[in-house]
Structures are given as structure tokens and as C-alpha cells.
Amino acid sequence: MKTEGQQLEMFLTVEQEQAIQEYLNNHDFHFRNHKSNVEVKHQVLVENGFIEGVHFENTFTFEENVTKTVSLGGRWYNVEEFETEVTITKYQGDIFLLHDIVDGEDGTNKIIKKSVPFYLTSSGKIECYSITSSFRPLKPATMLRKIAELNESTKERLVIVNRKDNHFDNAIEKLEFEFPNSVSVERSSEWVRTYNLKNSYTVDVVTVKLKDGSYIQYDVNSFSGDISIRKVHDMSVEKLTLQDKAHNLKRRLG
């Protein structure tokens, strides 16, 4: 049973009819505006040498005469909340620029296309921070060149990422042999906090965990593969009291 003010009615009040018409007008306005924007962007890209599927993708689709139930009115409106059926043009998607990135989610590094939103100025220039790292709009020809440059740098990045991964795999294999009784030897990211939090960063490390809770962290040089100790956490030392540490120091110096 519908609660009061939430109903699918055959007989609507004037206020409800006005709310429905306002909803339909708003929906139609946004649909037509979005459709027009996509068409204009598509035309500008194609006319300036952008290739669909290579430099951009268009996912915009629409379906006319779709009936759905909507809830209208409510606290901030001039009519109590109610439900009704409306027939609209359903639409989704947009038009996006494409550029290459290195993806390794499935365990294999490869280059894939990434779609990113962009804006078209009234003068026909393109703004895309994801590609240029700037909010300055560029001429289409310049943006096309930026995409090509970014794709080339992605190829270089793939080589660097594969080399780094190989060095870490070799380091893990070497440390597993060096610590056969370890609980685990794993690659992970370590957060490095700097004085200026904004400049803090993460660094990849290999951590050897031992049965007593101790662990050793190693840095692996991404270019040479050299392994160096970054941090040692010895539980036997951590459990010492201040008195124990003072006694050990006195004994060592004595």
C-alpha cells in the first residue's frame, strides 16, 4: 500500500501536474543539451584528425519513449511527495579522449587505453587536465600532439615498470633463499612522510617477516637491482626495558 502522498494516481492535482511537467521539461532540456554537446565535440575532433577508438571514444546512447516511475515533490517543494509514471528519453554516456596508460592489475603489465573527460571552449579549444596537467585550453592540433607524446612516454614507462618488477622478483627470490625459515617475503609500499605532508610519497620495499614478529625491510634499486637494508625491527630488542638497554650499554662500554 502506498503511503499518503506517495501514489500512482489517475487523478492528479494541479500542483502535481505542474511538478510532472517541470520534471519533464528539465529532463528534456538536459537531454538535448547533452546530446548537442556530444555532437559538437565529435565534429570538432573528427574535423581535426582525431580517430574514434584511437584518440577518443563516444559512449553516448539514448532510447526514446521509456516509461519509469519517479518520486516528485517533497519537503522543499510546493507539493507533498508522490510517485507517478513518466515517459522520457533515457540517455547515458558521453564523449571522452583516449590516451595510453600502463596497466598491471591482472599481474601482467600492458598498455591499455584510458578514457578521460574533456571540455570544449566556445573558441573550439580543448581543455583536458588528465593529458596536459594544466587547465589551459589548447588548439585541437596541439592536443592531438600531446596525446601522441603521452602515448610515447607510456611505452617508455612500460619498459621501466617491467625492469623494476623483474628486479623485485629477483630480490624476493634471493631473500627467500637467504631466509628459508621466514614467514613471508613480500613486496609492499611504504609511506614516507616528509616535513611537508604534501610532498610525502610511497616507496616499494621487500619485507622479510620472521616467526617471532621481527622483520627486515629492503630497498631495491629500480635501475640496477641492488638490494640494501632499509629498516630492521628486532623483537628481542623491542622487548627490552630501558633498564635492560642501559645495562647492556654499560656492559658493552665497560
Side-chain angles (χ1 to χ4, degrees), residues 1-7 9 16 80-83:
M1 177 179 294
K2 300 291 182 183
T3 59
E4 183 179 358
Q6 292 183 316
Q7 53 196 358
E9 296 182 339
Q16 288 174 331
E80 291 186 7
E81 184 176 356
F82 68 100
E83 290 184 351

Side-chain angles (χ1 to χ4, degrees), residues 105-119:
E105 287 190 3
D106 61 357
T108 302
N109 297 321
K110 58 185 179 298
I111 293 177
I112 64 171
K113 293 290 184 183
K114 180 181 180 180
S115 60
V116 292
F118 68 99
Y119 304 94

Side-chain angles (χ1 to χ4, degrees), residues 30-80:
H30 288 297
F31 161 66
R32 293 182 182 279
N33 187 56
H34 189 60
K35 181 173 179 290
S36 176
N37 286 338
V38 169
E39 291 172 347
V40 171
K41 286 181 175 180
H42 187 278
Q43 182 178 357
V44 169
L45 294 178
V46 171
E47 289 179 349
N48 286 277
F50 288 73
I51 301 173
E52 188 165 0
V54 178
H55 304 118
F56 75 94
E57 68 172 349
N58 189 345
T59 64
F60 178 74
T61 59
F62 65 91
E63 180 183 358
E64 297 179 326
N65 299 319
V66 175
T67 300
K68 61 181 291 190
T69 300
V70 295
S71 178
L72 303 176
R75 180 179 178 184
W76 305 109
Y77 299 87
N78 295 325
V79 59
E80 291 186 7

Side-chain angles (χ1 to χ4, degrees), residues 74-204:
R75 180 179 178 184
W76 305 109
Y77 299 87
N78 295 325
V79 59
E80 291 186 7
E81 184 176 356
F82 68 100
E83 290 184 351
T84 188
E85 286 187 347
V86 294
T87 300
I88 59 169
T89 299
K90 181 181 179 181
Y91 65 97
Q92 61 183 2
D94 206 335
I95 188 166
F96 304 91
L97 292 180
L98 294 174
H99 71 86
D100 293 346
I101 63 168
V102 175
D103 175 76
E105 287 190 3
D106 61 357
T108 302
N109 297 321
K110 58 185 179 298
I111 293 177
I112 64 171
K113 293 290 184 183
K114 180 181 180 180
S115 60
V116 292
F118 68 99
Y119 304 94
L120 190 66
T121 68
S122 58
S123 61
K125 291 185 177 181
I126 300 173
E127 177 188 316
C128 183
Y129 183 85
S130 298
I131 292 175
T132 65
S133 298
S134 169
F135 291 107
R136 184 168 66 90
L138 303 175
K139 293 180 179 179
T142 305
M143 183 61 72
L144 190 58
R145 188 179 74 249
K146 291 291 184 181
I147 293 176
E149 292 172 354
L150 183 57
N151 291 346
E152 281 300 314
S153 67
T154 301
K155 293 178 184 178
E156 298 172 1
R157 173 167 172 73
L158 179 62
V159 173
I160 294 173
V161 169
N162 282 334
R163 180 175 60 202
K164 178 180 178 179
D165 286 352
N166 287 335
H167 287 327
F168 269 86
D169 289 342
N170 293 335
I172 289 173
E173 183 178 354
K174 179 178 179 180
L175 292 171
E176 284 177 337
F177 179 80
E178 187 174 340
F179 297 91
N181 297 320
S182 62
V183 175
S184 64
V185 180
E186 298 177 338
R187 177 180 175 177
S188 61
S189 294
E190 182 79 359
W191 176 252
V192 179
R193 184 185 179 95
T194 62
Y195 176 76
N196 184 349
L197 184 60
K198 183 180 179 181
N199 295 327
S200 297
Y201 59 95
T202 59
V203 61
D204 286 352

